[in-house]
Amino acid sequence: MPSALVLVHDAVPGRGEREVGSVGPALTELGFDVLVTTLLPGAPAVPDPADVDVIVVLGSAEAADDDSVPWLAAELDLIARAVGHGTPVLGICFGAQALARVLGGKVGRAPRSERAFVALGSSDTDLLPRGEWMQFHDDMFTLPADAQQLARNDVGLQAFTCGPHVAVQFHPEITPDAFGAWMDAWEDEGVRAEIEAQVDVPAMVAEIAARADASAAACRTLVTRFCARAGVTAS
């Protein structure tokens, strides 16, 4: 059975597993043994990238260019070792920024935040379907030298592929429960009021719920195509 390592960035027991959203079920349906874990202080040691078949790096409230984040160096090192070994990495939002940085791209503040479902095209629809994807970010990344652009809009680069690796700025994994976990984290971190001043959160909750089936299907498609493109299957 192939194995998938999913890195989350929440120290609260159980909440990171909720934030995995539809990515976990998509991998499980493909026959992967899925391990959800974190590199945050106090967490158990993670497997070596050479010992897993796929790595997914999820979002974070931190910035992928902020070297004061205590666990960031270890995570960048893990991604770099995965790239060196050839273990396919799917980077999502923060994970995409971290992957871009490892591959030689730059990470910085986006010209404006995106916090909504956003329509995106695709230069490779056999890998990335066109459609409306959930965005919730303030930062952006540039295209690494050896990468191929998959999607871009007026804010910046939204997705790229580089060998077996794929980076997406958006959140294909979003589900009502995953967004609920985000809100719980905002409450714990004391930023919920600040976010609600910028975003119509009840409207977003309703839209995520209305789109839940379509979002899960799009996530399954993306994960399936990512694994197939990387040559990693359960056969």
Side-chain angles (χ1 to χ4, degrees), residues 3 25 30 34 45 49 76 79 106 114 120 144 149 156 206 225 228 235:
S3 59
L30 289 171
V34 180
L76 294 174
I79 295 171
K106 303 296 184 184
E114 291 185 291
L120 295 177
Q149 175 180 300
R225 293 177 179 178
S235 59

Side-chain angles (χ1 to χ4, degrees), residues 25 37 57 65 85 91 93 97-98 108 129 154 176-177 180 217:
T37 189
V57 185
D65 63 339
H85 181 73
C93 197
Q97 296 159 14
D154 63 318
D177 188 50

Side-chain angles (χ1 to χ4, degrees), residues 10 15 19 25 31 50 54 102 104-105 115 121 137 143 148 160 174 188:
D10 196 317
R15 198 158 66 196
E19 292 173 356
V54 165
V102 165
R115 295 180 177 178
H137 69 101
L143 188 68
Q148 292 76 49
F160 70 78
I174 197 66
D188 287 353

Side-chain angles (χ1 to χ4, degrees), residues 162-202:
C162 184
H165 316 297
V166 174
V168 296
Q169 181 60 77
F170 49 85
H171 287 277
E173 83 285 6
I174 197 66
T175 64
D177 188 50
F179 193 73
W182 293 8
M183 291 191 291
D184 291 345
W186 300 340
E187 190 74 37
D188 287 353
E189 295 159 10
V191 299
R192 183 163 178 168
E194 176 185 345
I195 291 172
E196 290 181 338
Q198 303 169 23
V199 181
D200 186 342
V201 171

Side-chain angles (χ1 to χ4, degrees), residues 48-70:
D48 187 279
D51 296 330
V52 298
D53 296 287
V54 165
I55 296 175
V56 181
V57 185
L58 292 184
S60 169
E62 305 295 347
D65 63 339
D66 183 359
D67 289 332
S68 70
V69 176

